[in-house]
Amino acid sequence: MSHTVRRAVLVAAIGLPCPYCGRAMIEPEHSPSRDHIRSRKRRGTLGDSSNRAIVCWPCNSHKGEWSLERWANRLQRDGDQRADHVAAFLATLASAGRR
Ligand SMILES: [Zn+2]
């Protein structure tokens, strides 16, 4: 995918709810960004489109190199309001056979 296409995917996501926190992805504070559901250091590969999600920058930054499952556990433990959204997103992935 070219840089232009990748940029267009992010621009198209502006205004949509972030799958991790449910807030609208609005620039600049909640800009859409590309998350690797499994970090590149673990099992994710750049060529695997099922490994990508468009999420807001604060969520992406907070998740960092954690796997989505471990991040979800951490949010739950911390009482973070995003825990329910992330759990629902994980359930969607599971039902789509993407895990
Ligand atoms: Zn978010």
Side-chain angles (χ1 to χ4, degrees), residues 17-25 30 55-60 71 82:
C18 166
Y20 293 173
C21 67
R23 296 175 67 170
M25 294 189 280
H30 288 84
V55 306
C56 77
W57 169 245
C59 285
N60 205 347
W71 189 54
R82 288 176 287 197

Side-chain angles (χ1 to χ4, degrees), residues 23 34-35 38 42-43 45 52 61 66 70 75 77 82 84 86 88 94 96:
R23 296 175 67 170
R34 188 179 308 273
D35 182 42
R38 301 180 189 92
R42 298 175 193 279
R43 287 180 297 168
T45 61
R52 297 203 197 98
S61 172
W66 293 61
R70 287 191 63 202
L75 293 174
R77 197 187 60 213
R82 288 176 287 197
D84 290 344
V86 174

Side-chain angles (χ1 to χ4, degrees), residues 1-92:
M1 202 158 39
S2 72
H3 175 78
T4 309
V5 172
R6 286 199 301 267
R7 177 67 193 157
V9 168
L10 294 179
V11 169
I14 291 172
L16 296 178
C18 166
Y20 293 173
C21 67
R23 296 175 67 170
M25 294 189 280
I26 305 288
E27 293 184 301
E29 289 89 358
H30 288 84
S31 292
S33 65
R34 188 179 308 273
D35 182 42
H36 291 85
I37 294 169
R38 301 180 189 92
S39 79
R40 271 168 285 190
K41 281 183 184 169
R42 298 175 193 279
R43 287 180 297 168
T45 61
L46 282 169
D48 178 5
S49 63
S50 70
N51 191 38
R52 297 203 197 98
I54 306 298
V55 306
C56 77
W57 169 245
C59 285
N60 205 347
S61 172
H62 189 267
K63 175 173 172 283
E65 291 292 322
W66 293 61
S67 73
L68 194 55
E69 287 88 350
R70 287 191 63 202
W71 189 54
N73 288 340
R74 181 180 160 195
L75 293 174
Q76 198 86 54
R77 197 187 60 213
D78 292 349
D80 193 299
Q81 293 183 341
R82 288 176 287 197
D84 290 344
H85 283 281
V86 174
F89 184 69
L90 277 168
T92 305

